[in-house]
Amino acid sequence: MTPTNDDLAALIRTIPDFPKPGIMFRDITTLLLDAAGFARSVERIVEAVDGPVDLVAGIEARGFIFAAPVALALGAGTLLVRKDGKLPGATVAEDYALEYGTDRIAIHADAVAPGARVLLIDDLIATGGTARAAVRLLRKVGAVVTQAAFVIDLPDLGGADALRAEGIHVTALVAFPGH
């Protein structure tokens, strides 16, 4: 964890054994309740962005919370990466593996112009399955995705490293050990 973001880490509550025994759940709702802390987290994500961005893609659901204000600050649009079946128009989707089974995320088919520069955002990166699927989905429709930002990284689970292996520059404001 970088010392400059200790103030943000202090605003993130840890709930042991949720949703199952052995998991240390990192809860951002306490960060969101603190207006100054929430504003600082958005500002620090914006400061970490390298170059112009056309769209900020937020992963459902907590990624939406950070994507919208970051997009406003960058003068970019906000793209919703949703669970399949949640969008009303024609969609493009991508499957990804879960611990027990698969899931699917989708975007509107007409949401991304080919060559659009997209910043991917979510609240937390753990194993990286959803984020990597979002990158594949965005690239499938012609987006240029080279950056992703997260409030929290759980580096022991390897998700940020998996994104880096796919050519993504990863920013995380805080990191916590374990899972």
Side-chain angles (χ1 to χ4, degrees):
M1 184 172 353
T2 60
T4 58
N5 291 323
D6 287 348
D7 59 330
L8 300 179
L11 295 171
I12 297 168
R13 173 173 52 185
T14 299
I15 301 173
D17 299 321
F18 182 83
K20 61 183 184 178
I23 302 294
M24 299 295 283
F25 187 82
R26 308 304 177 167
D27 180 19
I28 63 155
T29 63
T30 46
L31 169 67
L32 298 173
L33 288 167
D34 186 291
F38 180 39
R40 286 192 308 270
S41 65
V42 169
E43 289 165 5
R44 291 175 191 170
I45 290 171
V46 169
E47 289 168 2
V49 174
D50 182 25
V53 170
D54 300 308
L55 295 170
V56 177
I59 298 174
E60 186 169 341
R62 292 178 301 267
F64 298 170
I65 297 166
F66 294 93
V70 168
L72 284 173
L74 294 172
T78 303
L79 172 65
L80 304 181
V81 178
R82 305 260 355 233
K83 293 179 181 176
D84 195 33
K86 300 287 186 178
L87 293 168
T91 61
V92 179
E94 182 74 23
D95 294 323
Y96 62 100
L98 298 170
E99 187 176 358
Y100 300 105
T102 61
D103 209 344
R104 181 172 241 218
I105 54 173
I107 59 173
H108 276 125
D110 61 355
V112 180
R117 299 160 297 188
V118 179
L119 167 67
L120 182 67
I121 289 189
D122 205 354
D123 68 316
L124 181 139
I125 179 97
T127 63
T130 308
R132 291 175 58 222
V135 168
R136 288 192 308 273
L137 173 60
L138 293 164
R139 287 178 172 169
K140 181 168 37 177
V141 297
V144 177
V145 186
T146 60
Q147 302 178 72
F150 305 90
V151 176
I152 301 168
D153 180 17
L154 302 179
D156 294 344
L157 297 179
D161 286 339
L163 281 176
R164 288 183 191 103
E166 294 185 22
I168 305 294
H169 173 76
V170 177
T171 296
L173 300 180
V174 299
F176 291 104
H179 57 290

